[in-house]
Amino acid sequence: INKTQINFNELIKDIIKELAPLANEKNINIVFENQKENSFVYADYLSLTRILTNLIANSIENIENNKTITIKLKDENYTKIIIEDNGKGIDQQTIQTIFDRYSSNNKTKVVSGLGLNIVKELVEKNDGKISIESELNQFTKFEITLNKE
């Protein structure tokens, strides 16, 4: 892990561009909402790229056609990255074990090859936290919190 200042705006635009063909197949709109022209996060570049690519790709794979994925960055005393979709949601029983090593079901197919347990490990190696909130037939939201330095 080699933590540095990363221009989040540039990174997320690159990831969205990379995943655009996958999203376009299902007519999914990926929106990046940010108040600042340039926002920086302090993390390992490769880890953060893998985390964000995995979460967004999973969202594309698991939501229905013509839905939206919204990515937000909140810059407070810490950095909060929010990835939310308006898809079919995940039931509470699945959420209880979603970050477990051997948790798998066909409702949360993994596209990029990284399970959510690895995503959680990568977030924690960057001294961060990840949480999930979901309501069936409404939304799924992942929140990643990272330190400023």
Side-chain angles (χ1 to χ4, degrees), residues 90-105 108 116-117 132:
I90 302 169
D91 66 77
Q92 295 305 309
Q93 186 177 347
T94 303
I95 285 176
Q96 298 303 317
T97 60
I98 204 155
F99 293 116
D100 292 355
R101 180 175 292 275
Y102 298 107
S103 174
S104 172
N105 64 47
T108 53
L116 290 175
N117 65 306
I132 181 174

Side-chain angles (χ1 to χ4, degrees), residues 4 15 81-82 94 109 125 144 146:
T4 58
I15 291 171
I81 301 165
I82 299 163
T94 303
K109 288 183 258 176
K125 283 183 180 175
I144 299 165
L146 299 169

Side-chain angles (χ1 to χ4, degrees), residues 19-31 59-60 63-69 86:
L19 294 174
L22 194 61
N24 291 341
E25 282 177 23
K26 295 175 75 174
N27 198 28
I28 292 170
N29 189 26
I30 303 176
V31 178
S59 186
I60 292 168
I63 64 175
E64 308 83 49
N65 293 356
N66 306 310
K67 295 290 185 173
T68 300
I69 299 167
N86 62 346

Side-chain angles (χ1 to χ4, degrees), residues 10-25:
E10 288 179 13
L11 175 62
I12 202 66
K13 285 176 186 168
D14 288 346
I15 291 171
I16 291 170
K17 194 165 143 184
E18 180 186 325
L19 294 174
L22 194 61
N24 291 341
E25 282 177 23

Side-chain angles (χ1 to χ4, degrees), residues 38-50:
N38 285 304
S39 292
F40 291 87
V41 296
Y42 189 70
D44 177 70
Y45 184 85
L46 183 58
S47 296
L48 190 58
T49 302
R50 292 170 113 184

Side-chain angles (χ1 to χ4, degrees), residues 111-128:
V111 181
S112 67
L114 289 180
L116 290 175
N117 65 306
I118 305 233
V119 167
K120 184 178 183 199
E121 282 178 28
L122 288 172
V123 170
E124 289 172 350
K125 283 183 180 175
N126 281 276
D127 303 314

